[in-house]
Amino acid sequence: MQGQLMFAILFVTLCVETLAEDEFLYKQFTDPERDAFHYGKFQEDFAWGVATASYQIEGAWNEDGKGPSVWDTFAHTPGKTHLNQTADVTCDSYHKIAEDVKNLKELGVNHYRFSLSWSRIMPKGTPDEINPAGVQYYHDLIDALLAANIQPMVTLYHWDMPQVLMDIGGWENELMHALFVAYADFCFNEYGGKVTKWITFNEPTVFTVFGYEIGYHAPGKTHLGWGAYRAGHIVLKAHASAYHLYDKKYRASQNGVVGITLHARWYEPKTDTDADRAAAQRALTGELGWFAHPVFLTGDYPEVAKELIAAKSRAVGLTSSRFPEFTEEEKQMLKGSADFFGLNHYSTSYIENKVDASLIPNIMSDLDYKASEDDSWDRTGSWWLRPVPWGLRRTLKWIKKTYGDIPVYITENGMSENDGPVRLEDTDRVTYYRAYINEILKAQQIDGVNLKGYIAWTLMDNFEWAEGYNERFGLFHVDFNDPDRPRTARASAKAFAQIIKDNGFIKAKEKSEL
Ligand SMILES: *[C@@H]1O[C@H](CO)[C@@H](O)[C@H](O)[C@H]1NC(C)=O
């Protein structure tokens, strides 16, 4: 008995030891080959970074000449955000450049992805009135980053449109095309001597659907069935024109790259039936392809989306499709209008075929699919975010298969917890990062995806849009009750720093021999 018990204990200890290195494994997943840990390093010049967005971290919402943005207006409207919270102060990063850069150095990142607040630079949204203090703030941030050997990766539009431009219709007004190009021109000219990686737009599917169709985000429009398509159409043209402007006017002297960041979940067929498989393909093609096909493939929207939306429009007696059409000239301009694919990825859904003509039209019902989650997948602080690491590898493979060998940066990936007692030992987030980063290593080394970098979301807890401070995604915890907004590294910050230091995953044994 004793001996057997000893053996059992020893055996269990041994197993635990072996598992320790591979501790990221989600126990409920049952495909050992798919979920096996992969050791290896990324290329020498791999980009490691963290991301933030201006409205979510800067605060100083009306300081030094900044104009209001749609998010100021939206969050100041009672009933729009969790507990009516706003980002008036949030992390106060407007006053904390030195501290933020110190924390970036602690992580060991070589890139920092942040966004410019358009209304901080141009309070009226147009270049005839520039706010020098706002322009200087970003110079100071960029200079501090470069001094710390950290490359800036700058997003021009991360959702905080100047309110004055919303007053004329925002992305539903064709004028926005030219106004965005004028803003981009100013930014390329002003900062392009120091910034060589640009992202025009962050997640157009999200801000057009949430902002112009269901009203869950600023500007809170509920133009069901057409708001997102119309806004997205103008966004795409603005993107392409900004890309070509850079190409013609700045590339030769500044030698940078311009891309766009798209959000994609992995869509796994719910069952093995042909109908569900086709639905998952349709969902990926129609939803990610809504913005990706025009830029990375054909210059035009995916056929499946064009056909379905046109048919549904006809069926209710509309004389033209709710989905707008590009001219031939616009298609030529769109096709190939990005130097890299920025991918924001957080989670996976099951997709089933669902045709229901009675539904209020939106991108999901238009494409005849329904999404759901697996009860066995872990939960996080966000209802839409279940950790399913293999979904990221499949998304990357799908992008390679569909769009070819375009360079890809993961521009966001991470997980949330809800507001509550301070929790610095975030082992679940450590697990998430190890597992997801391991999947991109497999995508690169096994599947041959042209992966250039990985940018985590996010440096520190911040204002999570409509969810306010109730969803914390930070590698650093932020105390929002303290006027100094102190930041404290979580265990995940240390784990991420270690992965960066190793430039991938090295076996403990090999590490000890180094
Ligand atoms: C937020 O605003 C709504 C609408 O005015 C109000 O009903 C609600 O009580 C407010 N919530 C908080 C926490 O102040």
Side-chain angles (χ1 to χ4, degrees), residues 77-84:
T77 309
K80 297 296 187 192
T81 63
H82 175 71
L83 303 177
N84 302 327

Short mmCIF file of all heavy atoms in Angstrom, two decimals, residues 77-84, ligand 1:
data_model
loop_
_atom_site.label_atom_id
_atom_site.label_comp_id
_atom_site.label_asym_id
_atom_site.label_seq_id
_atom_site.Cartn_x
_atom_site.Cartn_y
_atom_site.Cartn_z
N THR A 77 -23.25 61.31 -22.05
CA THR A 77 -24.71 61.15 -22.13
C THR A 77 -25.12 60.05 -21.16
O THR A 77 -24.70 58.90 -21.32
CB THR A 77 -25.11 60.75 -23.57
OG1 THR A 77 -24.51 61.67 -24.49
CG2 THR A 77 -26.62 60.75 -23.75
N PRO A 78 -25.90 60.37 -20.13
CA PRO A 78 -26.26 59.35 -19.14
C PRO A 78 -26.94 58.15 -19.79
O PRO A 78 -27.73 58.29 -20.72
CB PRO A 78 -27.23 60.08 -18.19
CG PRO A 78 -26.93 61.53 -18.37
CD PRO A 78 -26.49 61.68 -19.80
N GLY A 79 -26.58 56.97 -19.29
CA GLY A 79 -27.21 55.75 -19.78
C GLY A 79 -26.45 55.05 -20.89
O GLY A 79 -26.84 53.97 -21.33
N LYS A 80 -25.36 55.65 -21.36
CA LYS A 80 -24.64 55.05 -22.50
C LYS A 80 -23.51 54.11 -22.09
O LYS A 80 -23.12 53.23 -22.85
CB LYS A 80 -24.06 56.15 -23.42
CG LYS A 80 -25.11 57.04 -24.06
CD LYS A 80 -26.00 56.26 -25.00
CE LYS A 80 -26.95 57.17 -25.77
NZ LYS A 80 -28.00 56.42 -26.46
N THR A 81 -22.92 54.36 -20.91
CA THR A 81 -21.78 53.52 -20.51
C THR A 81 -22.05 52.91 -19.13
O THR A 81 -22.92 53.39 -18.40
CB THR A 81 -20.47 54.35 -20.41
OG1 THR A 81 -20.63 55.34 -19.39
CG2 THR A 81 -20.14 55.03 -21.73
N HIS A 82 -21.28 51.91 -18.79
CA HIS A 82 -21.36 51.27 -17.48
C HIS A 82 -21.27 52.31 -16.36
O HIS A 82 -20.29 53.08 -16.31
CB HIS A 82 -20.20 50.26 -17.37
CG HIS A 82 -20.07 49.60 -16.04
ND1 HIS A 82 -20.96 48.66 -15.58
CD2 HIS A 82 -19.17 49.77 -15.05
CE1 HIS A 82 -20.61 48.27 -14.38
NE2 HIS A 82 -19.52 48.93 -14.04
N LEU A 83 -22.26 52.39 -15.53
CA LEU A 83 -22.33 53.36 -14.42
C LEU A 83 -22.10 54.80 -14.89
O LEU A 83 -21.64 55.64 -14.12
CB LEU A 83 -21.30 53.01 -13.31
CG LEU A 83 -21.41 51.61 -12.70
CD1 LEU A 83 -20.29 51.38 -11.67
CD2 LEU A 83 -22.78 51.42 -12.02
N ASN A 84 -22.42 55.06 -16.15
CA ASN A 84 -22.24 56.39 -16.74
C ASN A 84 -20.78 56.87 -16.64
O ASN A 84 -20.52 58.07 -16.56
CB ASN A 84 -23.18 57.42 -16.09
CG ASN A 84 -24.63 56.99 -16.22
OD1 ASN A 84 -25.01 56.36 -17.21
ND2 ASN A 84 -25.44 57.31 -15.23
C1 LIG B 1 -26.86 56.67 -15.36
O1 LIG B 1 -27.76 57.45 -16.09
C2 LIG B 1 -29.05 56.88 -16.17
C3 LIG B 1 -29.88 57.72 -17.13
O2 LIG B 1 -29.95 59.06 -16.68
C4 LIG B 1 -29.66 56.78 -14.78
O3 LIG B 1 -30.93 56.17 -14.85
C5 LIG B 1 -28.74 55.95 -13.91
O4 LIG B 1 -29.22 55.94 -12.58
C6 LIG B 1 -27.32 56.49 -13.93
N1 LIG B 1 -26.44 55.56 -13.25
C7 LIG B 1 -25.57 55.92 -12.32
C8 LIG B 1 -24.78 54.85 -11.67
O5 LIG B 1 -25.43 57.09 -11.97
#
